């Protein structure tokens, strides 16, 4: 049914042709091994590339919010600024710190980047562009992305530095609290779409995005998800773990060179991951805008390839996150915990209940207009 | 129940204030950018008259300046930035006279406090707007302010009443 539409720029034809060629030329086992390696390399390359793009975009948008121009020297409009920065960070010396817990200190960045790459792999970037599609996709993403906090805590602990320690502890408190909210908000949507598999979730939002389908509770869940997702990435008004003015840089104070680069990369990619999960679960993922019954319009929409739809939706969410970041002052730790435990969590629990009632009594938008 | 309504009121007023904050930054996003792109805008660059960039000694068209080599500026400078080197010459009628030989100013140690300009009795030095002072070596920051072969501007002979002479020197 899907392939009836004309999709000239879709990548899944290319991938299936490569798959067929490999299987024809090689025994089953080797074909699978090569595919695994290829997918891995592609994912890591996309990961790095996205980070470079995101850092540039962030710096530009930040500048615009502050009535500045932002990077504008390296290349036209400064587009090669982050390329230059990345090159610099790659060739920088890694400074060896005395009296640290060496093993933990050097493994901490890998925990963080590993967790974020694992979550990255489960994101459906477009039609047929998903590396791991578990039937418990949502659960998988939540659980692997929370592994990152282990890296943060290890980094803070092993640095043997009070600022790092305080930063890591704050980050831990914040992460544990807000992970709860993000999880419950996502569960609300799981109740609505009746599946945890990200690909079927996208498919089920073909004609009606989840955020419209579940109207009021879905909207509340979306807002809560955005707030808690924002808090999880340690950015914006929730950046107390890094609070430059009080903690120098928080848990990664002692890191230098590429190790610092790992933290930096993971921070940006976590922002992307949060935004893309949000887009997938609430805004229909890579599915182009489809309206039931308007066949020619739907066909037209498919001419824009699905991965562009995905990146467009993610870009909107990332822009929103930057907007919030440059609007609000940093929260105090008690305000932060108040917000989560006294406001978001109770609202979230009630919201989940409302959603269950909504689904059971058939009051979702698709049920009403069936 | 009262506290519950307070809780709700708190929450909604919080949301409202967050939204108003967002709207302000949204407007800011579209405002004109204030960045001045310096080397490109050199021609249109506006720098305030009061900006103290570099000490200069104005010379007139006859290559004459107003510095009497009194050394007051040197004494007043808190950093030893100024070095007034004078020489003694004889005028035609055989009188000995102190004259400015070299006025050495070290831009590298100047704090731009303006004390020298304020205290100079002859208004011989001023601060200019030329701010592009970067050099590759520190020696280049030591400058001689009087031009080669310059002389002290002769005052118009004062033959009037003391009162008027004072006024004259003030306006000069
Ligand atoms: S501005 Fe101040 S520091 Fe500079 S030369 Fe004059 S008196 Fe010295
Ligand atoms: S610049 Fe002014 S204060 Fe300094 S020596 Fe010359 S006349 Fe005197």
């Amino acid at each position: 049914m899907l392939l009836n539409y004309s999709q000239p720029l879709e990548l899944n034809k290319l991938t299936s042709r490569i798959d067929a060629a490999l299987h024809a030329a090689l025994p089953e086992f080797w074909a699978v091994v090569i595919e695994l390696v290829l997918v891995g390399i592609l994912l890591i390359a996309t990961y790095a590339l996205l980070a470079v793009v995101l850092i540039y975009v962030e710096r530009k948008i930040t500048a615009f919010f502050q009535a500045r121009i932002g990077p504008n020297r390296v290349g036209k409009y400064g587009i090669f600024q982050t390329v230059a920065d990345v090159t610099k960070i790659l060739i920088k010396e890694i400074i060896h710190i005395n009296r640290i817990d060496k093993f933990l200190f050097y493994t901490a960045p890998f925990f963080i980047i590993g967790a974020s790459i694992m979550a990255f792999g489960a994101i459906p970037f477009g039609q047929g562009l998903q590396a791991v599609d578990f039937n418990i996709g949502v659960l998988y993403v939540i659980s692997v992305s929370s592994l990152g906090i282990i890296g943060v805590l290890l980094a803070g602990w092993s640095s043997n530095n009070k600022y790092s320690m305080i930063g890591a502890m704050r980050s831990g408190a914040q992460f544990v609290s807000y992970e709860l909210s993000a999880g419950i908000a996502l569960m609300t949507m799981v109740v609505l779409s009746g599946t945890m598999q990200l690909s079927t979730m996208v498919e089920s939002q073909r004609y009606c995005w989840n955020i419209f389908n579940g109207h009021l509770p879905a909207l509340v869940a979306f807002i809560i998800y955005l707030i808690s997702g924002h808090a999880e990435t340690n950015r914006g008004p929730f950046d107390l773990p890094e609070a430059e003015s009080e903690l120098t840089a928080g848990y990664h104070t002692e890191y230098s060179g590429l190790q610092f680069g790992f933290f930096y990369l993971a921070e940006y990619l976590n922002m992307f991951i949060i935004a893309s999960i949000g887009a997938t679960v609430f805004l229909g993922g890579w599915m182009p805008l489809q309206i039931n019954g308007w066949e020619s319009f739907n066909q037209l929409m498919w001419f824009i390839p699905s991965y562009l739809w995905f990146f467009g939706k993610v870009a909107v969410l990332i822009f929103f996150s930057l907007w919030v970041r440059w609007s609000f002052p940093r929260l105090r730790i008690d305000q932060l915990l108040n917000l989560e435990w006294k406001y978001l969590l109770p609202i979230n629990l009630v919201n989940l209940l409302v959603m269950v009632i909504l689904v059971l009594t058939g009051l979702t938008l698709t049920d009403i207009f069936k | 129940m009262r506290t519950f309504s307070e809780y709700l009121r708190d929450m909604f007023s919080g949301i409202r204030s967050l939204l108003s904050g967002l709207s302000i930054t949204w407007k800011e996003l579209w405002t004109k950018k204030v960045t001045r792109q310096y080397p490109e805008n050199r021609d249109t660059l506006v720098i305030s008259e009061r900006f103290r960039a570099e000490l200069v000694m104005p010379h007139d068209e006859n290559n004459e300046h107003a510095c009497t080599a009194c050394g007051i500026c040197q004494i007043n400078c808190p950093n030893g930035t100024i070095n007034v080197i004078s020489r003694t010459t004889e005028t035609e009628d055989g009188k000995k006279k102190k004259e400015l030989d070299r006025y050495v100013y070290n831009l590298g140690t100047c704090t731009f406090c303006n004390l020298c300009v304020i205290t100079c009795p002859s208004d011989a030095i001023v601060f200019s707007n030329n701010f592009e002072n970067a050099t590759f070596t520190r020696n280049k920051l030591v400058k001689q302010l009087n031009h080669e072969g310059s002389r002290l501007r002769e005052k118009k002979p004062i033959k009037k009443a003391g009162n008027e002479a004072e006024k004259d020197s003030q306006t000069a």
Side-chain angles (χ1 to χ4, degrees), chain B residues 51-107:
Chain B
F51 183 68
R52 300 171 197 159
E54 182 191 17
L55 193 66
V56 291
M57 180 176 285
H59 287 58
D60 61 13
E61 63 276 8
N62 305 326
N63 201 11
E64 289 176 339
H65 54 74
C67 176
T68 57
C70 65
I72 291 175
C73 54
Q74 181 178 352
I75 294 164
N76 275 299
C77 177
N79 303 317
T81 297
I82 297 172
N83 194 7
V84 180
I85 300 165
S86 57
R87 60 169 177 238
T88 2
T89 50
E90 267 184 45
T91 48
E92 302 103 55
D93 44 344
K95 266 201 255 170
K96 285 227 168 107
K97 199 179 162 202
K98 204 160 105 179
E99 200 181 69
L100 183 65
D101 183 17
R102 290 198 300 130
Y103 190 99
V104 183
Y105 163 68
N106 185 353
L107 180 62

Side-chain angles (χ1 to χ4, degrees), chain A residues 28-42:
Chain A
E28 178 73 20
F29 174 73
W30 288 110
V32 171
V33 167
I34 289 180
E35 273 175 18
L36 285 180
V37 172
L38 274 182
V39 168
I41 290 174
L42 256 176

Side-chain angles (χ1 to χ4, degrees), chain A residues 229-369:
Chain A
H230 203 81
E232 274 179 47
T233 51
N234 290 345
R235 298 162 60 79
F238 305 103
D239 59 349
L240 339 78
E242 289 169 25
E244 298 92 347
S245 41
E246 19 184 312
L247 297 180
T248 57
Y251 55 87
H252 54 60
T253 306
E254 300 291 355
Y255 285 88
S256 50
L258 195 55
Q259 292 181 316
F260 172 75
F262 273 12
F263 284 111
Y264 201 56
L265 218 67
E267 182 190 326
Y268 278 89
L269 258 296
N270 282 340
M271 177 171 76
F272 179 83
I273 290 167
I274 294 289
S276 46
I277 300 292
T280 305
V281 174
F282 293 93
L283 303 181
W286 48 261
M287 191 59 80
L289 191 63
Q290 306 274 284
I291 295 168
N292 206 356
W294 296 17
E295 275 313 310
S296 45
F297 175 78
N298 292 351
Q299 294 249 21
L300 216 60
M301 282 295 144
W302 270 102
F303 270 97
I304 303 173
S306 55
Y307 45 90
L308 283 193
W309 279 100
F310 174 77
F311 282 114
K313 288 170 188 175
V314 170
V316 170
L317 291 187
I318 286 180
F319 174 80
F320 190 75
S321 129
L322 291 177
W323 184 10
V324 167
R325 177 176 188 192
W326 297 112
S327 297
F328 303 133
R330 185 182 303 141
L331 270 71
R332 256 188 349 247
I333 186 85
D334 61 319
Q335 292 167 332
L336 182 94
L337 295 179
N338 258 350
L339 175 67
E340 162 63 16
W341 295 100
K342 289 196 185 158
Y343 292 90
L344 294 188
L345 192 64
I347 294 172
N348 219 341
L349 289 172
V350 173
N351 194 41
L352 179 59
L353 205 67
V354 172
M355 180 60 95
V356 170
I357 294 169
L358 213 70
V359 170
L360 287 182
T361 53
L363 283 175
T364 59
L365 223 56
T366 38
D367 284 338
I368 295 172
F369 291 104

